[in-house]
Amino acid sequence: LEGNRFEEIPPVVQRLKRLVQFSFDEQRCQVRGVDDCLVQAGVLSVLRARGCGAAFPRLSAPTSARTNLNTIFWANNALTEVPAQLRPFAQSMRLLDLAHNQIAEISEEEMLALASLRDLSLAGNRLRRLPPALGRLRGLKQLWLQG
């Protein structure tokens, strides 16, 4: 659904239980009501919405302990914090791109919840410091912080 003019995530998307990838990048207008949208994340592995001014959606947590969601691109969306909705997916998360938002702080707890990350982009946010827990992300291979 990239590069269109959706003002909200179409309701039909909320009913797609076998969706593996969802990309909502570069909408040519502000996207509203995304935080009220429930995205079925049972088998979802990639979630993308860069540059559409969208809040982070609610994600349906899978019924099993195993999750597939491993890649999130949510850059350029004016987020002010790391979305709490990511917690149920922390063990499967490998790439998290929250670049060019308005995140000013990341807590120790939030960072520790992302222990499985290999790639993390926080470039272009309002960060002044990083939590010491970042040093415990043993699998982290790439970290982008450029401003």
Side-chain angles (χ1 to χ4, degrees), residues 35-123:
D35 51 341
D36 290 330
C37 177
L38 178 64
V39 174
Q40 300 294 329
V43 296
L44 191 67
S45 66
V46 178
L47 180 60
R48 297 170 57 120
R50 296 181 294 190
C52 57
F56 202 81
R58 292 181 301 129
L59 299 172
S60 68
T63 54
S64 69
R66 177 145 164 52
T67 62
N68 293 324
L69 188 56
N70 60 51
T71 302
I72 293 181
F73 294 96
W74 213 269
N76 298 308
N77 283 309
L79 294 180
T80 58
E81 61 188 10
V82 175
Q85 299 91 315
L86 297 178
R87 292 250 168 111
F89 307 93
Q91 293 303 311
S92 62
M93 191 72 53
R94 299 295 177 260
L95 185 149
L96 180 59
D97 180 359
L98 297 176
H100 305 286
N101 280 292
Q102 297 174 14
I103 299 169
E105 184 175 353
I106 299 175
S107 72
E108 285 283 307
E109 186 176 290
E110 289 170 324
M111 190 59 70
L112 287 173
L114 301 171
S116 296
L117 284 179
R118 286 190 312 231
D119 302 282
L120 175 61
S121 180
L122 295 168

